[in-house]
Amino acid sequence: MIHPLACVHPGAKIHETAVIGPFAYIEDNVEIGPRTEVMANASVMWGARIGADCKVFPSAVVGAIPQDLKFKGEETLAIIGDRTVIRECATVHRGTASKGKTVVGNDCLIMAYCHVAHDCILHDHIIMSNAVQLAGEVEVDDYAILGGGSLVHQFTHLGAHIMLQGGTKVTKDVPPFCIAAREPMQYCGINSVGLNRRGFTKEQIGAIQDTYRILYSPLYNVSQALERIEQDLPVSPERDLILNFVKNSPRGIVRGAL
């Protein structure tokens, strides 16, 4: 299943059911899983690990060395999970000594011209629309949707089930279930459409709304709001996910609407 015009290093480990297209470039120390397709002119470079049933479209690059002046050639990885799609001209760089790996999880869609920088950790079911740019060491949780052309500052954390408006400049952490939009970026409510599509109940969505109603109330600062949430709202997985995210946010969270 390797096209005779592909350039494949003999040290690469390619599953017998994988498909490698013409002019694809596969370096040494690469692993490509079952039924994965690497299309024409795509490059899979040293340290890449690609799971099963993935598609790497033309001119995409997985595993190039990081754009980080501190990188000294250390042995690091770029790991792609199962059933993930990497579209044309997208780039996923491998890690540095900081984390040792860049990770893109299962069932993700990385659209054309996106960039995933060194040491980013992307969990599962994430959609990055065209030309989203992630700087180094960004973490993105499950089911996040990043609108086209969004720019994400290094070390930021994007919570589960969020929605970023296209073109958003992300400089603060975005807690779970939020919509973040406008310039400068603001909290613009919860992602109720996405939550409904994913089977959240009315009670769960209500608990999320109640939590954010307090968190972004003009009556409290963040510390006061967290105390009120713990005192006034019943324990739930959704409430606690938000609380833990905000408490563990060293950069601070996106501000509320003025």
Side-chain angles (χ1 to χ4, degrees), residues 76-145:
T76 58
L77 302 175
I79 300 171
I80 310 296
D82 298 335
R83 300 173 302 280
T84 283
V85 175
I86 301 175
R87 294 299 305 247
E88 298 86 348
C89 300
T91 52
V92 181
H93 288 177
R94 60 187 174 100
T96 68
S98 176
K99 288 189 172 68
K101 60 185 178 182
T102 302
V103 179
V104 178
N106 300 323
D107 301 291
C108 294
L109 173 56
I110 312 299
M111 294 189 191
Y113 295 97
C114 287
H115 177 59
V116 180
H118 64 88
D119 303 293
C120 286
I121 304 295
L122 278 62
H123 295 271
D124 299 334
H125 303 282
I126 291 163
I127 297 174
M128 292 173 58
S129 300
N130 292 337
V132 171
Q133 308 293 297
L134 301 185
E137 304 197 44
V138 169
E139 182 171 5
V140 185
D141 292 339
D142 294 345
Y143 291 100
I145 299 175

Coordinates of all heavy atoms in Angstrom, one line a residue, residues 76-145:
T76 N 12.1 13.8 20.9 CA 10.8 14.0 21.4 C 9.8 13.5 20.3 O 10.2 13.0 19.3 CB 10.5 15.6 21.6 OG1 10.8 16.2 20.3 CG2 11.4 16.1 22.6
L77 N 8.5 13.6 20.7 CA 7.5 12.9 19.8 C 6.4 13.9 19.4 O 6.2 14.9 20.0 CB 6.8 11.8 20.6 CG 7.7 10.6 21.1 CD1 6.9 9.7 21.9 CD2 8.4 9.9 19.9
A78 N 5.7 13.5 18.3 CA 4.4 14.1 18.0 C 3.4 13.0 17.8 O 3.6 12.1 16.9 CB 4.5 14.9 16.6
I79 N 2.4 12.9 18.7 CA 1.6 11.8 18.8 C 0.2 12.2 18.3 O -0.4 13.1 18.8 CB 1.5 11.3 20.2 CG1 2.9 10.9 20.7 CG2 0.5 10.1 20.4 CD1 3.0 10.6 22.2
I80 N -0.4 11.4 17.4 CA -1.7 11.6 16.8 C -2.5 10.4 17.2 O -2.1 9.2 16.9 CB -1.7 11.8 15.3 CG1 -0.6 12.8 14.9 CG2 -3.1 12.2 14.8 CD1 -0.9 14.2 15.4
G81 N -3.7 10.6 17.7 CA -4.6 9.5 18.1 C -5.3 8.8 17.0 O -4.9 9.1 15.8
D82 N -6.3 8.0 17.3 CA -7.0 7.3 16.2 C -8.1 8.2 15.6 O -8.7 9.1 16.3 CB -7.7 6.1 16.9 CG -6.7 5.1 17.4 OD1 -5.5 5.1 16.9 OD2 -7.1 4.3 18.3
R83 N -8.4 8.0 14.3 CA -9.5 8.6 13.6 C -9.4 10.1 13.6 O -10.4 10.8 13.4 CB -10.9 8.1 14.2 CG -11.1 6.6 14.2 CD -12.3 6.3 15.0 NE -12.3 6.7 16.4 CZ -11.6 6.0 17.3 NH1 -11.0 4.9 17.1 NH2 -11.6 6.5 18.6
T84 N -8.2 10.6 13.6 CA -8.0 12.0 13.5 C -7.7 12.4 12.1 O -7.0 11.7 11.4 CB -6.9 12.5 14.5 OG1 -7.5 12.5 15.8 CG2 -6.4 13.8 14.2
V85 N -8.2 13.6 11.7 CA -8.0 14.0 10.3 C -7.2 15.3 10.3 O -7.5 16.3 11.1 CB -9.4 14.3 9.6 CG1 -9.2 14.9 8.2 CG2 -10.2 13.0 9.5
I86 N -6.1 15.3 9.6 CA -5.2 16.5 9.5 C -5.3 17.0 8.0 O -4.8 16.3 7.1 CB -3.8 16.2 9.9 CG1 -3.8 15.7 11.4 CG2 -2.9 17.4 9.8 CD1 -2.5 15.2 11.9
R87 N -5.9 18.2 7.8 CA -6.2 18.6 6.4 C -4.9 19.4 5.8 O -3.9 19.5 6.4 CB -7.4 19.5 6.4 CG -8.7 18.8 6.8 CD -9.0 17.7 5.8 NE -9.1 18.1 4.4 CZ -10.2 18.2 3.7 NH1 -11.3 17.8 4.2 NH2 -10.1 18.6 2.4
E88 N -5.2 19.9 4.6 CA -4.1 20.4 3.8 C -3.3 21.5 4.5 O -3.8 22.4 5.1 CB -4.6 20.9 2.5 CG -5.3 19.9 1.6 CD -6.8 19.7 1.9 OE1 -7.3 20.2 3.0 OE2 -7.5 19.1 1.2
C89 N -1.9 21.3 4.5 CA -1.0 22.4 4.9 C -1.1 22.6 6.4 O -0.5 23.6 6.9 CB -1.2 23.7 4.2 SG -1.0 23.5 2.4
A90 N -1.7 21.8 7.2 CA -1.7 21.9 8.6 C -0.3 21.3 9.1 O 0.3 20.5 8.5 CB -2.8 21.1 9.3
T91 N 0.1 21.8 10.3 CA 1.4 21.4 10.9 C 1.2 21.1 12.3 O 0.6 21.8 13.1 CB 2.4 22.6 10.7 OG1 1.9 23.8 11.3 CG2 2.8 22.8 9.3
V92 N 1.8 20.0 12.7 CA 1.9 19.5 14.1 C 3.3 19.3 14.4 O 3.9 18.3 13.9 CB 1.0 18.2 14.3 CG1 1.1 17.8 15.8 CG2 -0.4 18.4 13.9
H93 N 3.9 20.1 15.3 CA 5.3 20.0 15.6 C 5.5 19.1 16.8 O 4.7 19.0 17.7 CB 5.9 21.4 15.9 CG 6.1 22.2 14.6 ND1 6.6 23.5 14.6 CD2 5.8 21.9 13.3 CE1 6.6 24.0 13.4 NE2 6.1 23.0 12.6
R94 N 6.7 18.5 16.8 CA 7.0 17.6 18.0 C 7.4 18.4 19.2 O 7.6 19.7 19.1 CB 8.0 16.5 17.7 CG 9.3 16.9 17.2 CD 10.1 15.7 16.8 NE 11.4 16.0 16.2 CZ 12.6 15.8 16.9 NH1 12.6 15.5 18.2 NH2 13.7 16.1 16.2
G95 N 7.5 17.8 20.4 CA 7.7 18.5 21.6 C 9.2 18.9 21.8 O 10.0 18.7 21.0
T96 N 9.4 19.6 23.0 CA 10.7 19.9 23.4 C 11.0 19.2 24.7 O 10.2 18.4 25.2 CB 10.8 21.5 23.6 OG1 10.0 21.8 24.8 CG2 10.3 22.2 22.4
A97 N 12.1 19.6 25.4 CA 12.4 19.0 26.7 C 11.3 19.4 27.7 O 11.3 18.7 28.8 CB 13.8 19.5 27.1
S98 N 10.5 20.4 27.5 CA 9.5 20.8 28.5 C 8.5 19.6 28.8 O 8.4 19.3 30.0 CB 8.7 22.0 28.0 OG 7.7 22.3 28.8
K99 N 7.9 19.1 27.8 CA 7.0 17.9 28.0 C 7.4 16.7 27.2 O 7.0 15.6 27.5 CB 5.6 18.3 27.5 CG 4.9 19.3 28.4 CD 3.4 19.5 28.0 CE 2.6 20.3 29.0 NZ 3.1 21.7 29.0
G100 N 8.3 16.8 26.2 CA 8.8 15.7 25.5 C 7.8 15.2 24.4 O 8.2 14.3 23.6
K101 N 6.7 15.8 24.3 CA 5.7 15.4 23.2 C 4.7 16.4 23.0 O 4.3 17.2 23.9 CB 5.1 14.0 23.7 CG 4.3 14.1 24.9 CD 3.7 12.8 25.4 CE 3.0 12.9 26.7 NZ 2.5 11.6 27.2
T102 N 4.2 16.4 21.8 CA 3.0 17.1 21.4 C 1.9 16.0 21.1 O 2.2 15.0 20.5 CB 3.2 17.9 20.1 OG1 4.3 18.9 20.3 CG2 2.0 18.7 19.7
V103 N 0.7 16.3 21.6 CA -0.3 15.2 21.5 C -1.6 15.8 20.9 O -2.1 16.8 21.3 CB -0.6 14.6 22.9 CG1 -1.7 13.6 22.8 CG2 0.6 14.0 23.5
V104 N -2.1 15.1 19.9 CA -3.4 15.4 19.4 C -4.2 14.1 19.6 O -3.8 13.0 19.2 CB -3.4 15.7 17.9 CG1 -4.8 15.9 17.3 CG2 -2.6 17.0 17.6
G105 N -5.4 14.2 20.2 CA -6.1 13.0 20.7 C -6.9 12.3 19.6 O -6.6 12.4 18.4
N106 N -7.9 11.5 20.0 CA -8.7 10.7 19.1 C -9.9 11.6 18.5 O -10.4 12.5 19.2 CB -9.4 9.6 19.8 CG -8.3 8.6 20.4 OD1 -7.3 8.4 19.8 ND2 -8.6 8.1 21.6
D107 N -10.3 11.3 17.3 CA -11.5 11.9 16.7 C -11.4 13.4 16.6 O -12.4 14.1 16.7 CB -12.7 11.4 17.4 CG -12.9 9.9 17.5 OD1 -13.1 9.3 16.4 OD2 -12.7 9.3 18.6
C108 N -10.2 13.9 16.3 CA -10.1 15.3 16.1 C -10.1 15.7 14.6 O -9.7 14.9 13.8 CB -8.8 15.8 16.7 SG -8.7 15.7 18.5
L109 N -10.5 16.9 14.3 CA -10.4 17.5 13.0 C -9.6 18.7 13.0 O -9.9 19.7 13.6 CB -11.8 17.8 12.5 CG -11.9 18.5 11.1 CD1 -11.2 17.7 10.0 CD2 -13.4 18.7 10.7
I110 N -8.4 18.6 12.4 CA -7.5 19.8 12.3 C -7.6 20.3 10.8 O -7.0 19.7 9.9 CB -6.0 19.4 12.6 CG1 -6.0 18.5 13.9 CG2 -5.1 20.6 12.7 CD1 -6.5 19.3 15.1
M111 N -8.3 21.4 10.6 CA -8.5 21.8 9.3 C -7.3 22.5 8.6 O -6.3 22.7 9.3 CB -9.7 22.8 9.2 CG -11.0 22.1 9.6 SD -12.4 23.2 9.3 CE -13.7 22.3 10.2
A112 N -7.5 22.9 7.4 CA -6.3 23.4 6.6 C -5.7 24.6 7.2 O -6.3 25.5 7.8 CB -6.8 23.8 5.2
Y113 N -4.3 24.6 7.1 CA -3.5 25.7 7.5 C -3.5 25.9 9.1 O -3.0 27.0 9.5 CB -3.9 27.0 6.8 CG -3.6 27.0 5.3 CD1 -4.6 26.7 4.5 CD2 -2.3 27.2 4.8 CE1 -4.4 26.6 3.1 CE2 -2.1 27.1 3.5 CZ -3.1 26.8 2.6 OH -2.9 26.7 1.2
C114 N -3.9 25.0 9.8 CA -3.8 25.1 11.3 C -2.4 24.8 11.7 O -1.6 24.1 11.0 CB -4.8 24.1 12.0 SG -6.5 24.6 11.9
H115 N -2.0 25.3 12.9 CA -0.7 25.0 13.5 C -0.9 24.6 14.9 O -1.5 25.3 15.7 CB 0.2 26.3 13.4 CG 1.5 26.0 14.0 ND1 2.4 25.1 13.6 CD2 2.1 26.7 15.1 CE1 3.5 25.1 14.4 NE2 3.4 26.1 15.3
V116 N -0.3 23.5 15.2 CA -0.2 22.9 16.6 C 1.3 23.0 17.0 O 2.1 22.1 16.5 CB -0.8 21.5 16.7 CG1 -0.7 21.0 18.2 CG2 -2.3 21.5 16.2
A117 N 1.6 23.9 17.9 CA 3.0 24.1 18.2 C 3.5 23.0 19.2 O 2.8 22.2 19.7 CB 3.2 25.5 18.8
H118 N 4.8 23.1 19.5 CA 5.5 22.2 20.4 C 4.8 22.1 21.8 O 4.3 23.1 22.4 CB 6.9 22.6 20.6 CG 7.1 23.9 21.3 ND1 7.1 24.1 22.7 CD2 7.2 25.2 20.8 CE1 7.3 25.3 23.0 NE2 7.3 26.0 21.9
D119 N 4.7 20.8 22.3 CA 4.2 20.5 23.6 C 2.8 20.9 23.9 O 2.3 20.9 25.0 CB 5.1 21.2 24.7 CG 6.6 20.9 24.6 OD1 6.9 19.7 24.8 OD2 7.4 21.7 24.2
C120 N 2.0 21.1 22.8 CA 0.5 21.3 23.0 C -0.1 19.9 23.3 O 0.4 18.9 22.9 CB -0.1 21.8 21.7 SG 0.2 23.6 21.4
I121 N -1.1 19.9 24.1 CA -1.9 18.7 24.5 C -3.3 19.0 24.0 O -4.0 19.8 24.6 CB -1.8 18.4 26.0 CG1 -0.4 18.3 26.4 CG2 -2.6 17.1 26.2 CD1 0.4 17.1 25.8
L122 N -3.8 18.3 23.0 CA -5.1 18.3 22.5 C -5.8 17.0 22.9 O -5.3 15.9 22.5 CB -5.2 18.6 21.0 CG -5.1 20.0 20.5 CD1 -3.7 20.6 20.9 CD2 -5.3 20.1 19.0
H123 N -6.9 17.1 23.6 CA -7.6 15.9 24.0 C -8.5 15.4 22.8 O -8.1 15.5 21.7 CB -8.4 16.2 25.3 CG -7.4 16.4 26.5 ND1 -6.9 15.5 27.3 CD2 -6.9 17.6 26.9 CE1 -6.1 16.0 28.2 NE2 -6.1 17.3 28.0
D124 N -9.7 14.8 23.1 CA -10.4 14.1 22.1 C -11.6 15.0 21.5 O -12.1 15.9 22.2 CB -11.0 12.8 22.6 CG -9.9 11.9 23.1 OD1 -8.8 11.9 22.6 OD2 -10.2 11.1 24.0
H125 N -12.0 14.7 20.3 CA -13.2 15.3 19.6 C -13.1 16.8 19.5 O -14.0 17.5 19.6 CB -14.4 14.9 20.5 CG -14.7 13.5 20.6 ND1 -15.2 12.7 19.6 CD2 -14.4 12.7 21.7 CE1 -15.3 11.4 20.1 NE2 -14.8 11.4 21.3
I126 N -11.9 17.3 19.2 CA -11.6 18.7 19.1 C -11.7 19.1 17.6 O -11.3 18.3 16.7 CB -10.3 19.1 19.6 CG1 -10.3 18.9 21.2 CG2 -9.8 20.5 19.2 CD1 -8.9 18.9 21.8
I127 N -12.3 20.2 17.3 CA -12.4 20.8 15.9 C -11.6 22.1 15.9 O -12.0 23.0 16.7 CB -13.8 21.0 15.5 CG1 -14.6 19.6 15.4 CG2 -13.8 21.6 14.1 CD1 -16.0 19.8 15.0
M128 N -10.6 22.1 15.1 CA -9.9 23.4 14.8 C -10.2 23.8 13.4 O -9.8 23.2 12.4 CB -8.4 23.2 15.0 CG -7.9 22.9 16.4 SD -6.2 22.5 16.5 CE -5.4 24.0 15.8
S129 N -11.0 24.9 13.3 CA -11.3 25.4 11.9 C -10.1 26.0 11.2 O -9.1 26.1 11.8 CB -12.5 26.4 12.0 OG -13.6 25.8 12.6
N130 N -10.3 26.3 10.0 CA -9.2 26.7 9.1 C -8.3 27.8 9.8 O -8.8 28.8 10.3 CB -9.7 27.3 7.8 CG -10.3 26.2 6.9 OD1 -10.0 25.0 7.1 ND2 -11.1 26.6 6.0
A131 N -7.0 27.6 9.7 CA -6.0 28.6 10.1 C -6.0 29.0 11.6 O -5.5 30.0 11.9 CB -6.2 29.9 9.2
V132 N -6.5 28.1 12.4 CA -6.3 28.3 13.9 C -4.8 28.1 14.2 O -4.1 27.2 13.7 CB -7.1 27.3 14.7 CG1 -6.8 27.4 16.2 CG2 -8.6 27.6 14.5
Q133 N -4.2 29.0 15.1 CA -2.8 28.9 15.4 C -2.7 28.7 16.9 O -3.0 29.6 17.7 CB -2.1 30.2 14.9 CG -2.4 30.6 13.5 CD -1.8 29.6 12.5 OE1 -0.5 29.4 12.5 NE2 -2.6 28.9 11.7
L134 N -2.1 27.6 17.3 CA -1.9 27.3 18.7 C -0.4 27.5 19.0 O 0.5 26.9 18.4 CB -2.2 25.9 19.1 CG -3.7 25.5 18.9 CD1 -3.9 24.0 19.4 CD2 -4.7 26.4 19.5
A135 N 0.0 28.4 19.9 CA 1.3 28.6 20.3 C 1.7 27.4 21.3 O 0.9 26.5 21.6 CB 1.5 29.9 21.0
G136 N 3.0 27.5 21.7 CA 3.5 26.3 22.5 C 2.8 26.1 23.8 O 2.4 27.0 24.5
E137 N 2.7 24.8 24.2 CA 2.2 24.4 25.5 C 0.8 24.8 25.8 O 0.4 25.0 26.9 CB 3.2 24.8 26.6 CG 4.6 24.3 26.3 CD 5.5 24.3 27.5 OE1 5.1 23.9 28.6 OE2 6.7 24.7 27.3
V138 N 0.0 24.9 24.8 CA -1.5 25.1 25.0 C -2.1 23.8 25.2 O -1.8 22.7 24.7 CB -2.1 25.8 23.7 CG1 -3.6 25.8 23.7 CG2 -1.5 27.2 23.5
E139 N -3.1 23.8 26.1 CA -3.9 22.6 26.4 C -5.4 22.8 26.0 O -5.9 23.9 26.3 CB -3.9 22.1 27.8 CG -4.7 20.9 28.1 CD -4.5 20.3 29.5 OE1 -3.8 21.0 30.3 OE2 -5.0 19.2 29.8
V140 N -6.0 21.9 25.2 CA -7.3 22.0 24.8 C -8.1 20.8 25.2 O -7.7 19.6 24.9 CB -7.4 22.2 23.2 CG1 -8.9 22.4 22.8 CG2 -6.5 23.3 22.7
D141 N -9.2 20.9 25.9 CA -9.9 19.8 26.5 C -11.0 19.3 25.5 O -11.2 19.9 24.4 CB -10.6 20.2 27.8 CG -9.6 20.4 28.9 OD1 -8.4 20.0 28.8 OD2 -9.9 21.2 29.9
D142 N -11.6 18.2 25.8 CA -12.5 17.4 24.9 C -13.6 18.3 24.4 O -14.2 19.2 25.1 CB -13.2 16.3 25.7 CG -12.2 15.2 26.1 OD1 -11.1 15.2 25.6 OD2 -12.6 14.4 27.0
Y143 N -14.0 18.1 23.1 CA -15.1 18.7 22.4 C -15.0 20.2 22.2 O -16.0 20.8 22.0 CB -16.4 18.3 23.1 CG -16.8 16.8 23.0 CD1 -16.5 16.0 24.0 CD2 -17.4 16.4 21.8 CE1 -16.9 14.6 23.9 CE2 -17.7 15.0 21.7 CZ -17.5 14.2 22.7 OH -17.8 12.8 22.6
A144 N -13.8 20.8 22.4 CA -13.7 22.2 22.1 C -13.8 22.4 20.6 O -13.3 21.6 19.8 CB -12.4 22.7 22.7
I145 N -14.4 23.6 20.3 CA -14.5 24.0 18.9 C -13.8 25.4 18.8 O -14.2 26.3 19.4 CB -15.9 24.0 18.4 CG1 -16.6 22.7 18.5 CG2 -16.0 24.6 17.0 CD1 -18.0 22.6 18.1

